[in-house]
Amino acid sequence: MTYARIIGTGSFLPEKVVTNADLEKSIETSDEWIRERTGIRRRHIAADGETTSEIGLRAAERAIEAAGIDAADIDLIVVGTATPDKIFPATACIIQRKLGIAGCAAYDVSAACSGFVYGLDVANRFIQTGGGRTALVIGAETLSRITNWEDRTTAVLFGDGAGAVVLQANEETGIISTHIHADGRAEELLHVPTGISIGYEAVQAGEAYIAMNGNAVFRKAVATLDSIARETLAGNGVDKHDLDWFIPHQANLRIIRAAAKKLDMPMERVVVTVDEHANTSAASIPLALDIAVRDGRIKRGELLLLEAFGAGFTWGSALLRY
Ligand code: COA
């Protein structure tokens, strides 16, 4: 059996940090409200001209370096993003060029906060079916570009960043299974209500902003993360107590705690970065993974459950042996 194994991780955060106290100066909110309702303390925000491809590239370079491969070895680049540099070409193609390589397949996956897990699913199947040996999967976002900084119900929630993994074919261990789902009926609960074919004016005016029914999304996220965890564990005959690490999408600490509780996971075994990064959508899981790998928490051979939930709705998971 061929597995897709993570052989390198990387991440990158823009230099500029915006704290809750900074937001207090421009909108009617408070550090206390934001921390109590979301767990968020600060977020990184891309500088003018710092694009999704730029921060995605930096994360990819670190993952490639950690993997010890040559960029020319990559057979596939998948970028999960809801904030591509351009309408086209795909951000993956732009990153490919910036990596100084050409020829391998490169495309973006649009699954909002589930973009990285969707990308992992695609790359896993690509490697398992012999499409290639090495894949680069990136989650990268500049959500600050689609955030209305005057809307306190959303402005406090999001941040910018990127994370990446290099996957390689391995005969022994790696991704055990991936699971992805969507339910398009939830479109209006979490979306950017404008875009390209629906009407371009708001985009041109720089007013294409995230709109969300926070309460409904919260409830759905908690229920869905529970069901995808059950599906993943049952599908592999794995007991929840066998998991070493839980790496959920980082949207809200209360959602993460609820999901961990259902898994009977102590919070020491849950990777949490939402306090430092806020919700970086497709970037949040690979960012959290990279941080816990680099600080020595996650070790080779450990069993990891990754879980995502986002606009669409989309959701997914990956069970893997690191
Ligand atoms: N600062 C202060 N008050 C705020 C605020 C802010 N930034 N944002 C909203 N409020 C107010 C509301 O106006 C409301 O006031 P009211 O009761 O007078 O009407 C009150 O706080 C409570 O709002 P509510 O929306 O019920 O709060 P909540 O407990 O549901 O928390 C979220 C709001 C957005 C933090 C929460 O719903 C959430 O995290 N949802 C999921 C979001 C998410 O994960 N999205 C991405 C999924 S990938």
Side-chain angles (χ1 to χ4, degrees):
M1 165 120 183
T2 301
Y3 291 95
R5 185 183 197 210
I6 295 177
I7 59 163
T9 64
S11 61
F12 180 80
L13 290 155
E15 200 181 320
K16 183 178 172 192
V17 172
V18 173
T19 65
N20 293 348
D22 293 330
L23 291 177
E24 279 178 359
K25 292 175 199 151
S26 53
I27 47 177
E28 203 178 321
T29 190
S30 68
D31 173 49
E32 193 189 358
W33 191 96
I34 302 170
R35 275 190 291 107
E36 274 179 11
R37 301 291 177 119
T38 71
I40 297 166
R41 292 170 182 274
R42 55 182 70 87
R43 68 286 293 144
H44 290 251
I45 300 295
D48 289 345
E50 195 173 28
T51 58
T52 296
S53 72
E54 208 49 50
I55 62 175
L57 171 72
R58 304 285 286 275
E61 286 172 339
R62 289 175 182 175
I64 290 167
E65 192 189 350
I69 62 157
D70 199 318
D73 296 337
I74 295 167
D75 301 308
L76 169 72
I77 302 174
V78 185
V79 177
T81 188
T83 47
D85 287 20
K86 297 181 175 179
I87 295 166
F88 60 77
T91 306
C93 295
I94 300 173
I95 292 176
Q96 183 200 49
R97 172 178 60 76
K98 290 180 175 177
L99 283 170
I101 57 174
C104 70
Y107 54 90
D108 293 354
V109 169
S110 173
C113 299
S114 307
F116 177 77
V117 169
Y118 265 60
L120 214 54
D121 177 88
V122 165
N124 180 42
R125 294 176 199 277
F126 177 82
I127 288 174
Q128 282 192 328
T129 54
R133 281 189 53 77
T134 309
L136 171 64
V137 183
I138 303 168
E141 301 281 12
T142 48
L143 291 179
S144 58
R145 312 278 197 245
I146 54 166
T147 299
N148 179 354
W149 290 100
E150 288 167 14
D151 174 6
R152 69 175 185 172
T153 66
T154 52
V156 302
L157 302 176
F158 301 103
D160 300 333
V165 299
V166 175
L167 297 173
Q168 198 160 63
N170 188 287
E171 298 313 312
E172 283 161 29
T173 191
I175 296 176
I176 297 162
S177 71
T178 52
H179 307 254
I180 54 173
H181 298 279
D183 182 353
R185 292 172 298 179
E187 177 180 350
E188 311 231 323
L189 293 177
L190 177 54
H191 62 147
V192 177
T194 185
I196 311 306
S197 91
I198 204 170
Y200 199 50
E201 296 76 14
V203 178
Q204 285 173 312
E207 290 167 356
Y209 298 136
I210 299 167
M212 178 176 67
N213 179 332
N215 248 292
V217 173
F218 188 99
R219 278 183 273 115
K220 187 69 182 171
V222 170
T224 305
L225 291 177
D226 180 41
S227 72
I228 191 77
R230 286 168 190 274
E231 174 188 329
T232 310
L233 295 172
N236 293 290
V238 170
D239 186 275
K240 60 186 176 186
H241 299 106
D242 293 336
L243 293 173
D244 292 304
W245 291 100
F246 177 41
I247 309 171
H249 169 51
Q250 310 281 320
N252 183 314
L253 188 57
R254 285 155 58 211
I255 297 175
I256 294 173
R257 281 191 197 283
K261 195 170 172 200
K262 292 203 164 137
L263 279 170
D264 207 12
M265 278 310 260
M267 285 306 285
E268 301 76 54
R269 289 270 145 192
V270 182
V271 182
V272 174
T273 57
V274 69
D275 50 339
E276 295 289 319
H277 306 160
N279 181 348
T280 58
S281 188
S284 91
I285 292 176
L287 246 167
L289 174 66
D290 182 53
I291 283 169
V293 164
R294 283 178 192 257
D295 68 20
R297 270 178 288 171
I298 294 178
K299 298 189 178 55
R300 281 286 172 206
E302 289 186 321
L303 192 61
L304 277 50
L305 176 64
L306 280 46
E307 274 187 13
F309 177 83
F313 290 135
T314 55
W315 63 98
S317 67
L319 182 73
L320 63 98
R321 212 161 266 291
Y322 177 69

